[in-house]
């Protein structure tokens, strides 16, 4: 750890963007100083510097909504941080999963547009599933799955895998699309429950593919 590389402002602070390591959703933006960074690394949970209180602030110390730190990165100018975390509850004081819950502007990407981000839906699903786990809205199907735990989730993964097999065996393309979509969704729920980021699955696929080609 070499904090000398970082460029703190005239007040000794540096902005920190906190991001869910699994869903990649931005949870909040806070400030850190040298002491809070050292404390964060020491305890493995986010500790910020509160500009209003002029004191260190251990996120979730009283509420229990701590953030386990997986990685701290800095940008090319060394004057901003990205903190990748496993949130143990809502990030926002309102009880919302993320402090960034309001939309100022949004433009849909057309499916037939040149070079569309075809896999953005997977990231969006991850974000929704992560929000459901932390906010647990009443009546939501994803909430139901998390409430009933890993056994229920595994049962649904098995059921959907079976439905995929049946649809493929029947050569029913439309049904296959629906069932594979259901399977993908339940697998993403399982990954969230197990705290295994989709990025790690993709990295494993890439690694295995590279080894096969070699």
């Amino acid at each position: 750890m070499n904090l000398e590389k970082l460029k703190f402002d005239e007040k000794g602070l540096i902005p920190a963007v906190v991001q869910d390591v699994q869903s990649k959703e931005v949870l909040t933006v806070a400030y850190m100083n040298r002491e809070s960074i050292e404390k964060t690394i020491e305890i493995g949970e986010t500790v910020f510097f509160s500009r209003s209180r002029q004191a260190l602030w251990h996120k979730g110390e009283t509420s229990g909504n701590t953030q386990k730190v997986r990685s701290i990165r800095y940008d090319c100018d060394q004057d901003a941080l990205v903190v990748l975390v496993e949130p143990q509850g809502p990030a926002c004081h309102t009880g919302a999963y993320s402090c960034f819950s309001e939309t100022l502007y949004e433009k849909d990407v057309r499916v037939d547009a040149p070079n569309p981000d075809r896999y953005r839906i997977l990231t969006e699903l991850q974000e929704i599933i992560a929000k459901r786990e932390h906010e647990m809205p009443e009546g939501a199907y994803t909430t139901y799955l998390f409430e009933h735990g890993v056994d229920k989730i595994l049962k649904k993964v098995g059921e959907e895998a079976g439905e995929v097999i049946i649809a493929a065996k029947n050569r029913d393309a439309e049904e296959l699309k629906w069932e594979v979509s259901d399977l993908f969704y339940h697998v993403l729920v399982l990954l969230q429950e197990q705290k295994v980021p989709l990025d790690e699955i993709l990295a494993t696929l890439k690694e295995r593919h590279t080894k096969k080609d070699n």
Side-chain angles (χ1 to χ4, degrees):
M1 180 179 67
N2 186 3
L3 299 186
E4 300 304 322
K5 291 183 178 180
L6 301 180
K7 297 177 182 177
F8 298 90
D9 66 16
E10 66 279 1
K11 296 180 180 178
L13 302 178
I14 188 169
V17 178
V18 182
Q19 188 176 25
D20 188 322
V21 70
Q22 183 160 339
S23 72
K24 306 308 178 188
E25 177 90 350
V26 173
L27 302 178
T28 191
V29 175
Y31 285 85
M32 304 179 87
N33 60 10
R34 184 182 297 271
E35 185 181 1
S36 70
I37 295 173
E38 291 173 344
K39 191 67 175 178
T40 293
I41 293 171
E42 177 187 338
I43 68 174
E45 296 179 351
T46 52
V47 177
F48 304 114
F49 182 82
S50 171
R51 293 177 297 169
S52 59
R53 297 195 298 265
Q54 289 293 298
L56 294 187
W57 163 43
H58 179 192
K59 166 65 179 169
E61 186 173 23
T62 55
S63 67
N65 298 325
T66 56
Q67 298 169 335
K68 294 184 179 180
V69 177
R70 291 282 296 272
S71 174
I72 301 177
R73 303 172 183 173
Y74 55 86
D75 71 332
C76 55
D77 293 322
Q78 298 93 42
D79 60 1
L81 303 175
V82 171
V83 185
L84 298 174
V85 303
E86 291 179 5
Q88 304 304 298
C92 187
H93 71 281
T94 64
Y97 164 64
S98 169
C99 292
F100 294 90
S101 57
E102 303 298 327
T103 301
L104 180 65
Y105 173 78
E106 188 170 47
K107 184 176 181 181
D108 292 333
V109 178
R110 288 171 36 237
V111 175
D112 60 346
N115 300 316
D117 186 355
R118 295 184 297 160
Y119 307 110
R120 172 61 192 169
I121 185 59
L122 292 177
T123 301
E124 291 175 354
L125 276 175
Q126 284 188 101
E127 293 171 0
I128 292 169
I129 291 167
K131 287 180 182 178
R132 293 289 189 271
E133 184 185 31
H134 294 297
E135 297 176 3
M136 299 293 274
E138 187 176 351
Y141 175 65
T142 310
T143 298
Y144 164 79
L145 291 175
F146 284 124
E147 284 179 341
H148 286 76
V150 68
D151 287 344
K152 171 61 71 173
I153 297 169
L154 290 172
K155 181 180 178 182
K156 292 302 298 182
V157 170
E159 289 176 358
E160 297 304 337
E163 295 293 338
V164 168
I165 293 170
I166 293 170
K169 188 68 175 178
N170 291 337
R171 299 290 182 180
D172 189 333
E174 286 302 314
E175 185 68 17
L176 183 60
K177 286 188 287 186
W178 280 97
E179 299 304 342
V180 169
S181 297
D182 284 346
L183 179 59
F184 276 15
Y185 163 77
H186 286 93
V187 168
L188 288 175
V189 172
L190 177 62
L191 292 177
Q192 178 67 31
E193 195 277 338
Q194 297 283 304
K195 299 299 178 285
V196 177
L198 179 60
D199 282 355
E200 292 186 7
I201 305 299
L202 298 177
T204 300
L205 282 171
K206 183 176 181 181
E207 180 183 358
R208 292 179 66 179
H209 173 69
T210 302
K211 286 182 177 178
K212 277 189 175 182
D213 284 351
N214 293 336

